Amino acid sequence: MKRIFILLIVCLLLTSCQGVSKEEEKTSIRIGISLYRGDDTFINNIRSIIEEKAKEYERESGIKVTLDIQEAKGSQNTQNNQVERFISLGCDVLCINPVDRTDTSLIIDKAMTAGVPVVFFNRQPVEEDMNRWDKLFYVGVDAKETAVLQGQMVVDLYRKQPEAVDLNEDGVVSYVMLEGETSHQDSLIRTEWSVQTLKDGRVSIERITGGIANWERSQASALMEQWLTEYPDTIELVISNNDDMALGAIDALERAQVTGVNVIGIDGTTPGLEAIENGKLLGTVSANKDLYCSAILELAASCALEKALPEEYPLTDETYFWTPQEIIITKIKENP
Ligand code: BGC
């Protein structure tokens, strides 16, 4: 009898506890987002889509999502302070696009102490840092895959119409290379593997020159202007680590009234896609931005609500979401 009585009390306690946790289920979440810079075209594209995704999530789940978005203006110190502020404001989760991907330890320290999970994106922290806590995630693209796709688009065109790539038909494609920030994981890998893919695809190539334009249109435009003067009538292909620098090269080509040179980029930004539409940019490699941004948002929301991540977002090593990518090429060159 005594046992049954105790059992009854335990059951009553359990059901009442469940009742409390149901009532306490979160109906709103707050996400602190810090961008390495606010004037980066690709990052701005991502920002707008994350904002749309947050509204979509709110509509579908009935959970209110507050986004606190800050720009770090290229300063790691500023970003560290933003993280501190997000935590003091009670953010449930942080989405960080680190300024210096090799210097995220302070952000991680602060987040771990406060028990606030972090979803990094686009600028990949070093593995040692990512391994410090099981509440650290990364959303991005596989840099080698991007570069192989970029090289492949030229290989495919060369096979179909060699003269569309080897403009002077001397059997060698002479190219220049525009590189992003040296500290960014994407720059080195993109530079190496786009060229390697051309070689693997049996396109004879010759590097005329190259330079670092830090992802920026104006810097790339200045470099290209200089190269057009130094190497007149020589450049057949411009390989750029991103669309913005590719557009800078196109600006310089237009100013010098040089036509026919092929320019390839990466990102599929809004201005990049417009240039493809107009036949100015031969092609680009684009991540599925919809998926990229919903992965960031869904990961953040599931951390904030302490729920499992939906199955559509498989994580490698329970940490990394690698977004699928595709080639986008101008129809004008494909069907001359
Ligand atoms: C993009 C660049 C961008 C950079 C910012 C790269 O992955 O391709 O366009 O400027 O990330 O971190």
Side-chain angles (χ1 to χ4, degrees):
M1 186 64 197
K2 199 175 164 197
R3 273 207 191 140
I4 295 176
F5 182 70
I6 292 174
L7 209 74
L8 246 164
I9 300 266
V10 169
C11 284
L12 264 172
L13 271 174
L14 275 177
T15 37
S16 69
C17 282
Q18 266 173 8
V20 169
S21 76
K22 273 258 158 58
E23 271 163 35
E24 279 181 1
E25 241 169 47
K26 279 190 182 150
T27 52
S28 71
I29 57 175
R30 191 179 188 111
I31 308 177
I33 303 181
S34 171
L35 310 174
Y36 91 110
R37 273 170 70 156
D39 58 355
D40 181 295
T41 311
F42 175 71
I43 294 299
N44 261 319
N45 270 196
I46 294 297
R47 173 194 183 142
S48 325
I49 307 173
I50 293 177
E51 285 171 324
E52 278 167 30
K53 292 285 163 198
K55 286 192 197 120
E56 217 172 88
Y57 187 89
E58 229 174 38
R59 272 197 307 275
E60 282 166 14
S61 67
I63 292 169
K64 187 171 164 18
V65 181
T66 306
L67 299 183
D68 190 344
I69 307 183
Q70 300 289 325
E71 297 163 11
K73 300 188 174 73
S75 155
Q76 191 55 63
N77 201 27
T78 304
Q79 186 163 64
N80 294 345
N81 294 336
Q82 287 168 348
V83 164
E84 210 158 275
R85 194 176 146 270
F86 287 151
I87 291 174
S88 70
L89 284 174
C91 285
D92 302 287
V93 57
L94 309 178
C95 295
I96 307 291
N97 173 221
V99 174
D100 182 348
R101 66 182 200 93
T102 63
D103 190 15
T104 54
S105 51
L106 251 168
I107 296 179
I108 296 175
D109 287 345
K110 289 180 207 283
M112 282 174 80
T113 312
V116 178
V118 187
V119 180
F120 291 102
F121 61 98
N122 168 256
R123 301 161 74 88
Q124 189 181 342
V126 292
E127 215 182 321
E128 208 183 312
D129 282 333
M130 289 302 291
N131 289 340
R132 285 180 58 197
W133 191 29
D134 63 355
K135 296 274 179 288
L136 303 175
F137 303 92
Y138 179 73
V139 174
V141 290
D142 180 287
K144 181 175 165 192
E145 180 187 273
T146 318
V148 169
L149 288 171
Q150 189 186 37
Q152 197 56 45
M153 96 176 104
V154 179
V155 172
D156 291 347
L157 181 61
Y158 186 79
R159 287 199 184 135
K160 275 191 251 164
Q161 301 164 243
E163 72 287 354
V165 184
D166 178 13
L167 305 176
N168 61 6
E169 299 184 56
D170 66 348
V172 179
V173 179
S174 306
Y175 73 93
V176 293
M177 174 70 75
L178 285 165
E179 294 180 41
E181 288 162 285
T182 44
S183 56
H184 199 299
Q185 79 279 348
D186 287 339
S187 307
L188 274 180
I189 303 175
R190 288 180 184 176
T191 302
E192 180 187 344
W193 282 96
S194 54
V195 170
Q196 189 56 45
T197 306
L198 286 169
K199 289 182 187 158
D200 293 346
R202 295 177 191 283
V203 180
S204 284
I205 48 171
E206 175 203 27
R207 177 187 160 106
I208 303 171
T209 187
I212 294 158
N214 295 309
W215 307 122
E216 284 185 31
R217 184 168 180 157
S218 58
Q219 289 191 34
S221 167
L223 278 180
M224 187 67 189
E225 189 171 298
Q226 190 186 319
W227 297 339
L228 284 169
T229 322
E230 276 172 39
Y231 310 97
D233 306 320
T234 325
I235 304 169
E236 293 169 296
L237 173 67
V238 180
I239 306 176
S240 172
N241 281 176
N242 79 342
D243 283 355
D244 252 20
M245 296 188 294
L247 293 172
I250 293 169
D251 293 339
L253 286 164
E254 285 182 345
R255 279 198 305 276
Q257 297 180 328
V258 174
T259 54
V261 175
N262 288 310
V263 184
I264 51 173
I266 286 172
D267 282 343
T269 57
T270 310
L273 294 177
E274 252 165 49
I276 291 180
E277 193 69 22
N278 302 332
K280 292 181 178 182
L281 183 65
L282 173 65
T284 192
V285 179
S286 178
N288 181 330
K289 292 193 196 58
D290 222 55
L291 204 56
Y292 192 110
C293 298
S294 36
I296 295 175
L297 213 269
E298 291 282 350
L299 251 171
S302 62
C303 286
L305 299 167
E306 293 175 45
K307 283 188 172 163
L309 181 68
E311 271 171 18
E312 312 86 280
Y313 307 95
L315 298 184
T316 305
D317 298 333
E318 294 171 22
T319 306
Y320 299 92
F321 180 78
W322 298 117
T323 316
Q325 315 179 68
E326 59 171 345
I327 291 175
I328 302 175
I329 192 158
T330 175
K331 295 278 173 290
I332 299 168
K333 285 269 171 170
E334 260 194 334
N335 311 304

